[in-house]
Amino acid sequence: MANKSLMAVRELRTTFHVKRGRKTYALKAVDNVSFDLQKGEILGFVGETGCGKTTVGRSLIGLSKAEAGDVRYGGVNILALPERQLREVRLNVRMVFQDPYASLNPRRSIGDSVAEAGDIHKLFATAAERSRQISETLESVGLDPSFADRFPHELSGGQRQRVGIARAILPVPDIIIADEPVSALDVSIQAQVLNLLLDLQKGLGLTILFISHDLSVVGQISDRIAVMYLGQIVEIAEAEQLYQSPLHPYTRALIDAVPKPDPKIKISDGLAIGEPPSRLEPPPGCSFANRCPLVHDVCRQRAPVLKDLAAGRKAACHALDEVTK
Ligand SMILES: Nc1ncnc2c1ncn2[C@@H]1O[C@H](COP(=O)(O)OP(=O)(O)OP(=O)(O)O)[C@@H](O)[C@H]1O
Ligand SMILES: [Mg+2]
């Protein structure tokens, strides 16, 4: 795979102002996140619920308003573009959502839903051309063209998610941001939809940002994986390296929490190391310190930064700094 950055994200920060009683808190949903999306790769984003994965995805295309940072794509910082130009960008950077039922209009036929972006941007020269492209797109996600005349309630969950994906590839984009695209599906259907995404990525040359709270799902599909914890990337590496030699203690805990098929290996349910701290009043220092088996004094005082630790590997951890000194 060519190591060419298609989208370069730098110091992205998205804050929500939330009220609790009389107080308003600044919730740093995405806090200083930087990464490159390389052309043709599937980059997985994984982390526990509420860590900011969806907000990263939405902030990249201006659906959530970032307060700081740069998202370089096509030679410009797309966060600085006016809404009209952002809409053009969103034709090339499309989202697939977790709940295909909620994201499909129940009163629109599947064909109309699939053609929606093309209709809005007036991309079909004739009605016949529109029908042809709808049929072709349905076929490319494994659905018979006759699905065009059906409605969402007539479809199974897996079929609906195929429609969700079809909507995102007409016209074919550069990048797909897939936010928990299989989390609402049965495990047996999950594998089919993951395979479809892999086939499309190869066939259409897509680049995919794949978001999931489930490391085993992310591991099945990703070339590289970014691990998020409380708004920040704590580790990023090639998928194999991350699994075989996780560096950050949080990544290790996540891997230990994945149920193992081998019964001799201990199965733990969830992270065995307590709760994350409050997002509204985070403690100073490293946000993982209160759960970390390697915690040092410095961890409670100063937040670690994401650093290169080896070729293609980055992690944010004071304990690792000590090891690699
Ligand atoms: N519109 C909003 N207003 C206020 N707070 C928000 C909003 N959207 C998200 N948040 C908060 O920002 C944080 C990050 O949320 P986000 O949805 O990005 O997490 P996530 O990693 O996608 O979680 P999940 O795995 O549950 O989908 C959470 O604490 C959430 O409560
Ligand atoms: Mg989410």
Side-chain angles (χ1 to χ4, degrees), residues 268-311:
S268 57
D269 33 317
L271 289 188
I273 45 175
E275 292 294 314
S278 159
R279 299 230 47 186
L280 300 180
E281 290 179 319
C286 175
S287 50
F288 191 58
N290 74 320
R291 302 169 90 182
C292 184
L294 307 178
V295 63
H296 290 39
D297 286 346
V298 62
C299 307
R300 301 194 198 278
Q301 293 150 15
R302 210 157 34 82
V305 292
L306 193 66
K307 277 191 197 151
D308 285 302
L309 290 178

Short mmCIF file of all heavy atoms in Angstrom, two decimals, residues 268-311:
data_model
loop_
_atom_site.label_atom_id
_atom_site.label_comp_id
_atom_site.label_asym_id
_atom_site.label_seq_id
_atom_site.Cartn_x
_atom_site.Cartn_y
_atom_site.Cartn_z
N SER A 268 -12.03 -12.55 30.22
CA SER A 268 -12.50 -11.53 31.17
C SER A 268 -13.65 -10.77 30.52
O SER A 268 -13.69 -10.62 29.30
CB SER A 268 -11.37 -10.58 31.53
OG SER A 268 -10.84 -9.98 30.39
N ASP A 269 -14.58 -10.34 31.33
CA ASP A 269 -15.69 -9.59 30.74
C ASP A 269 -15.49 -8.11 30.99
O ASP A 269 -15.63 -7.65 32.10
CB ASP A 269 -17.06 -10.05 31.24
CG ASP A 269 -17.01 -10.51 32.65
OD1 ASP A 269 -16.05 -11.23 32.98
OD2 ASP A 269 -17.85 -10.19 33.45
N GLY A 270 -15.08 -7.44 29.95
CA GLY A 270 -14.87 -6.00 30.07
C GLY A 270 -13.55 -5.70 30.76
O GLY A 270 -12.81 -6.61 31.14
N LEU A 271 -13.23 -4.44 30.86
CA LEU A 271 -11.98 -4.05 31.49
C LEU A 271 -12.07 -4.31 32.99
O LEU A 271 -13.03 -3.89 33.63
CB LEU A 271 -11.71 -2.57 31.26
CG LEU A 271 -11.33 -2.16 29.85
CD1 LEU A 271 -10.91 -0.72 29.82
CD2 LEU A 271 -10.23 -3.05 29.32
N ALA A 272 -11.08 -5.01 33.51
CA ALA A 272 -11.12 -5.40 34.92
C ALA A 272 -10.52 -4.31 35.80
O ALA A 272 -10.15 -4.57 36.93
CB ALA A 272 -10.36 -6.70 35.09
N ILE A 273 -10.42 -3.11 35.28
CA ILE A 273 -9.63 -2.13 36.01
C ILE A 273 -10.38 -0.83 36.26
O ILE A 273 -9.87 0.25 36.08
CB ILE A 273 -8.31 -1.84 35.25
CG1 ILE A 273 -8.59 -1.67 33.76
CG2 ILE A 273 -7.30 -2.92 35.51
CD1 ILE A 273 -7.39 -1.27 32.97
N GLY A 274 -11.61 -0.97 36.68
CA GLY A 274 -12.34 0.21 37.16
C GLY A 274 -12.92 1.08 36.07
O GLY A 274 -12.91 0.75 34.91
N GLU A 275 -13.44 2.20 36.51
CA GLU A 275 -14.20 3.11 35.63
C GLU A 275 -13.32 4.25 35.15
O GLU A 275 -12.40 4.66 35.85
CB GLU A 275 -15.35 3.70 36.45
CG GLU A 275 -16.41 2.71 36.84
CD GLU A 275 -17.16 2.16 35.64
OE1 GLU A 275 -17.55 2.96 34.77
OE2 GLU A 275 -17.34 0.93 35.55
N PRO A 276 -13.64 4.79 33.98
CA PRO A 276 -12.92 6.00 33.57
C PRO A 276 -13.33 7.19 34.44
O PRO A 276 -14.40 7.19 35.03
CB PRO A 276 -13.38 6.20 32.11
CG PRO A 276 -14.66 5.46 32.00
CD PRO A 276 -14.63 4.36 33.00
N PRO A 277 -12.47 8.20 34.55
CA PRO A 277 -12.82 9.38 35.36
C PRO A 277 -13.91 10.21 34.69
O PRO A 277 -14.28 9.95 33.54
CB PRO A 277 -11.50 10.16 35.41
CG PRO A 277 -10.74 9.73 34.21
CD PRO A 277 -11.16 8.32 33.92
N SER A 278 -14.42 11.20 35.41
CA SER A 278 -15.47 12.07 34.87
C SER A 278 -14.97 12.82 33.65
O SER A 278 -13.86 13.33 33.62
CB SER A 278 -15.86 13.09 35.96
OG SER A 278 -16.49 14.19 35.34
N ARG A 279 -15.85 12.87 32.62
CA ARG A 279 -15.47 13.62 31.43
C ARG A 279 -15.68 15.12 31.66
O ARG A 279 -15.15 15.93 30.94
CB ARG A 279 -16.31 13.18 30.23
CG ARG A 279 -16.10 11.73 29.92
CD ARG A 279 -15.81 11.48 28.47
NE ARG A 279 -14.80 12.36 27.90
CZ ARG A 279 -14.49 12.37 26.61
NH1 ARG A 279 -15.12 11.60 25.80
NH2 ARG A 279 -13.57 13.17 26.16
N LEU A 280 -16.51 15.45 32.63
CA LEU A 280 -16.82 16.86 32.86
C LEU A 280 -15.75 17.53 33.72
O LEU A 280 -15.45 18.70 33.55
CB LEU A 280 -18.20 17.00 33.50
CG LEU A 280 -19.36 16.43 32.68
CD1 LEU A 280 -20.68 16.63 33.40
CD2 LEU A 280 -19.42 17.09 31.30
N GLU A 281 -15.19 16.76 34.67
CA GLU A 281 -14.13 17.31 35.51
C GLU A 281 -12.96 16.35 35.52
O GLU A 281 -12.69 15.68 36.52
CB GLU A 281 -14.66 17.54 36.93
CG GLU A 281 -15.66 18.69 36.98
CD GLU A 281 -16.22 18.94 38.36
OE1 GLU A 281 -16.52 17.95 39.07
OE2 GLU A 281 -16.36 20.12 38.72
N PRO A 282 -12.25 16.25 34.39
CA PRO A 282 -11.17 15.27 34.31
C PRO A 282 -10.02 15.65 35.25
O PRO A 282 -9.79 16.84 35.47
CB PRO A 282 -10.73 15.35 32.84
CG PRO A 282 -11.22 16.65 32.34
CD PRO A 282 -12.41 17.02 33.16
N PRO A 283 -9.36 14.65 35.82
CA PRO A 283 -8.24 14.95 36.71
C PRO A 283 -7.06 15.48 35.90
O PRO A 283 -7.01 15.27 34.68
CB PRO A 283 -7.92 13.58 37.32
CG PRO A 283 -8.41 12.59 36.30
CD PRO A 283 -9.58 13.22 35.63
N PRO A 284 -6.10 16.16 36.55
CA PRO A 284 -4.91 16.59 35.81
C PRO A 284 -4.07 15.38 35.43
O PRO A 284 -4.27 14.29 35.98
CB PRO A 284 -4.17 17.47 36.83
CG PRO A 284 -4.64 16.99 38.17
CD PRO A 284 -6.05 16.52 37.98
N GLY A 285 -3.17 15.55 34.51
CA GLY A 285 -2.26 14.46 34.14
C GLY A 285 -2.90 13.53 33.14
O GLY A 285 -3.81 13.89 32.40
N CYS A 286 -2.44 12.27 33.14
CA CYS A 286 -2.91 11.27 32.18
C CYS A 286 -4.32 10.83 32.55
O CYS A 286 -4.58 10.47 33.70
CB CYS A 286 -1.96 10.08 32.19
SG CYS A 286 -2.54 8.73 31.15
N SER A 287 -5.21 10.81 31.57
CA SER A 287 -6.60 10.46 31.90
C SER A 287 -6.77 8.97 32.21
O SER A 287 -7.79 8.56 32.72
CB SER A 287 -7.54 10.88 30.77
OG SER A 287 -7.04 10.41 29.54
N PHE A 288 -5.75 8.17 31.91
CA PHE A 288 -5.84 6.74 32.21
C PHE A 288 -5.21 6.40 33.58
O PHE A 288 -5.29 5.26 34.03
CB PHE A 288 -5.15 5.94 31.09
CG PHE A 288 -5.41 4.45 31.15
CD1 PHE A 288 -6.70 3.94 31.11
CD2 PHE A 288 -4.35 3.56 31.27
CE1 PHE A 288 -6.94 2.58 31.17
CE2 PHE A 288 -4.58 2.18 31.32
CZ PHE A 288 -5.88 1.69 31.28
N ALA A 289 -4.63 7.40 34.24
CA ALA A 289 -3.83 7.13 35.45
C ALA A 289 -4.59 6.33 36.51
O ALA A 289 -4.04 5.41 37.11
CB ALA A 289 -3.33 8.45 36.04
N ASN A 290 -5.89 6.64 36.72
CA ASN A 290 -6.60 5.98 37.83
C ASN A 290 -6.89 4.51 37.55
O ASN A 290 -7.29 3.77 38.43
CB ASN A 290 -7.91 6.73 38.16
CG ASN A 290 -8.98 6.50 37.11
OD1 ASN A 290 -8.69 6.47 35.91
ND2 ASN A 290 -10.21 6.31 37.53
N ARG A 291 -6.69 4.06 36.30
CA ARG A 291 -6.94 2.65 35.98
C ARG A 291 -5.66 1.92 35.61
O ARG A 291 -5.70 0.75 35.25
CB ARG A 291 -7.91 2.54 34.79
CG ARG A 291 -9.23 3.22 34.98
CD ARG A 291 -10.01 3.30 33.68
NE ARG A 291 -10.86 2.15 33.45
CZ ARG A 291 -11.61 1.99 32.36
NH1 ARG A 291 -11.57 2.88 31.40
NH2 ARG A 291 -12.37 0.93 32.22
N CYS A 292 -4.55 2.64 35.63
CA CYS A 292 -3.34 2.11 34.99
C CYS A 292 -2.47 1.30 35.94
O CYS A 292 -2.11 1.78 37.02
CB CYS A 292 -2.54 3.27 34.41
SG CYS A 292 -1.08 2.69 33.51
N PRO A 293 -2.11 0.08 35.55
CA PRO A 293 -1.23 -0.73 36.41
C PRO A 293 0.21 -0.20 36.47
O PRO A 293 0.96 -0.56 37.35
CB PRO A 293 -1.27 -2.12 35.75
CG PRO A 293 -1.68 -1.87 34.33
CD PRO A 293 -2.54 -0.64 34.33
N LEU A 294 0.58 0.66 35.51
CA LEU A 294 1.96 1.14 35.46
C LEU A 294 2.10 2.58 35.97
O LEU A 294 3.09 3.24 35.72
CB LEU A 294 2.48 1.10 34.01
CG LEU A 294 2.37 -0.22 33.25
CD1 LEU A 294 2.88 -0.05 31.82
CD2 LEU A 294 3.15 -1.31 33.97
N VAL A 295 1.08 3.05 36.70
CA VAL A 295 1.04 4.48 37.03
C VAL A 295 2.27 4.94 37.85
O VAL A 295 2.73 4.25 38.75
CB VAL A 295 -0.29 4.83 37.74
CG1 VAL A 295 -0.41 4.11 39.06
CG2 VAL A 295 -0.47 6.34 37.89
N HIS A 296 2.82 6.10 37.45
CA HIS A 296 3.92 6.75 38.16
C HIS A 296 3.39 8.08 38.72
O HIS A 296 2.33 8.54 38.30
CB HIS A 296 5.06 7.12 37.20
CG HIS A 296 5.82 5.96 36.65
ND1 HIS A 296 5.23 4.79 36.29
CD2 HIS A 296 7.14 5.83 36.39
CE1 HIS A 296 6.17 3.96 35.82
NE2 HIS A 296 7.33 4.58 35.86
N ASP A 297 4.18 8.73 39.58
CA ASP A 297 3.75 10.04 40.11
C ASP A 297 3.52 11.04 38.98
O ASP A 297 2.55 11.79 39.00
CB ASP A 297 4.82 10.60 41.05
CG ASP A 297 4.81 9.86 42.38
OD1 ASP A 297 3.82 9.13 42.63
OD2 ASP A 297 5.78 10.00 43.14
N VAL A 298 4.42 11.03 38.01
CA VAL A 298 4.35 12.02 36.93
C VAL A 298 3.02 11.92 36.17
O VAL A 298 2.50 12.92 35.67
CB VAL A 298 5.56 11.87 35.97
CG1 VAL A 298 5.56 10.50 35.29
CG2 VAL A 298 5.57 12.95 34.90
N CYS A 299 2.46 10.72 36.15
CA CYS A 299 1.23 10.50 35.38
C CYS A 299 0.06 11.30 35.94
O CYS A 299 -0.88 11.63 35.22
CB CYS A 299 0.87 9.02 35.36
SG CYS A 299 2.22 7.98 34.80
N ARG A 300 0.10 11.59 37.24
CA ARG A 300 -1.00 12.34 37.86
C ARG A 300 -0.77 13.84 37.76
O ARG A 300 -1.60 14.63 38.19
CB ARG A 300 -1.15 11.93 39.32
CG ARG A 300 -1.42 10.44 39.49
CD ARG A 300 -1.90 10.14 40.91
NE ARG A 300 -1.76 8.73 41.23
CZ ARG A 300 -2.62 7.79 40.88
NH1 ARG A 300 -3.68 8.09 40.19
NH2 ARG A 300 -2.40 6.53 41.22
N GLN A 301 0.39 14.21 37.23
CA GLN A 301 0.71 15.65 37.14
C GLN A 301 0.67 16.17 35.72
O GLN A 301 0.18 17.25 35.45
CB GLN A 301 2.10 15.90 37.73
CG GLN A 301 2.15 15.67 39.23
CD GLN A 301 3.52 15.20 39.69
OE1 GLN A 301 4.50 15.32 38.95
NE2 GLN A 301 3.60 14.66 40.89
N ARG A 302 1.19 15.39 34.80
CA ARG A 302 1.40 15.88 33.44
C ARG A 302 0.79 14.89 32.45
O ARG A 302 1.00 13.68 32.59
CB ARG A 302 2.92 15.97 33.20
CG ARG A 302 3.36 17.00 32.26
CD ARG A 302 4.83 17.43 32.50
NE ARG A 302 5.76 16.41 32.95
CZ ARG A 302 6.38 15.52 32.17
NH1 ARG A 302 6.14 15.50 30.88
NH2 ARG A 302 7.24 14.65 32.68
N ALA A 303 0.05 15.40 31.47
CA ALA A 303 -0.53 14.51 30.46
C ALA A 303 0.57 14.09 29.47
O ALA A 303 1.34 14.94 29.03
CB ALA A 303 -1.65 15.21 29.73
N PRO A 304 0.66 12.81 29.17
CA PRO A 304 1.65 12.37 28.17
C PRO A 304 1.19 12.78 26.77
O PRO A 304 -0.01 12.94 26.54
CB PRO A 304 1.65 10.85 28.31
CG PRO A 304 0.29 10.52 28.83
CD PRO A 304 -0.18 11.70 29.64
N VAL A 305 2.14 12.94 25.86
CA VAL A 305 1.75 13.26 24.48
C VAL A 305 2.02 12.05 23.59
O VAL A 305 2.85 11.19 23.91
CB VAL A 305 2.50 14.50 23.92
CG1 VAL A 305 2.06 15.76 24.63
CG2 VAL A 305 4.00 14.31 24.00
N LEU A 306 1.30 12.01 22.47
CA LEU A 306 1.46 10.90 21.52
C LEU A 306 2.81 11.05 20.83
O LEU A 306 3.08 12.07 20.21
CB LEU A 306 0.33 10.97 20.50
CG LEU A 306 0.12 9.76 19.59
CD1 LEU A 306 -0.34 8.54 20.39
CD2 LEU A 306 -0.91 10.07 18.52
N LYS A 307 3.67 10.03 20.99
CA LYS A 307 5.03 10.12 20.46
C LYS A 307 5.36 8.92 19.59
O LYS A 307 4.86 7.82 19.84
CB LYS A 307 6.03 10.05 21.63
CG LYS A 307 6.27 11.33 22.32
CD LYS A 307 7.46 11.14 23.26
CE LYS A 307 7.47 12.28 24.26
NZ LYS A 307 8.06 11.90 25.52
N ASP A 308 6.28 9.14 18.63
CA ASP A 308 6.80 8.01 17.85
C ASP A 308 7.64 7.14 18.77
O ASP A 308 8.57 7.63 19.40
CB ASP A 308 7.72 8.53 16.74
CG ASP A 308 6.92 9.13 15.61
OD1 ASP A 308 6.09 8.41 15.05
OD2 ASP A 308 7.12 10.32 15.31
N LEU A 309 7.30 5.86 18.85
CA LEU A 309 8.09 4.97 19.69
C LEU A 309 8.88 3.98 18.85
O LEU A 309 9.90 3.46 19.26
CB LEU A 309 7.18 4.21 20.66
CG LEU A 309 6.58 5.09 21.75
CD1 LEU A 309 5.67 4.29 22.63
CD2 LEU A 309 7.66 5.76 22.58
N ALA A 310 8.40 3.68 17.66
CA ALA A 310 9.11 2.81 16.72
C ALA A 310 8.52 3.13 15.36
O ALA A 310 7.55 3.88 15.27
CB ALA A 310 8.89 1.34 17.08
N ALA A 311 9.08 2.53 14.31
CA ALA A 311 8.58 2.84 12.96
C ALA A 311 7.08 2.60 12.88
O ALA A 311 6.61 1.49 13.16
CB ALA A 311 9.31 1.97 11.94
#
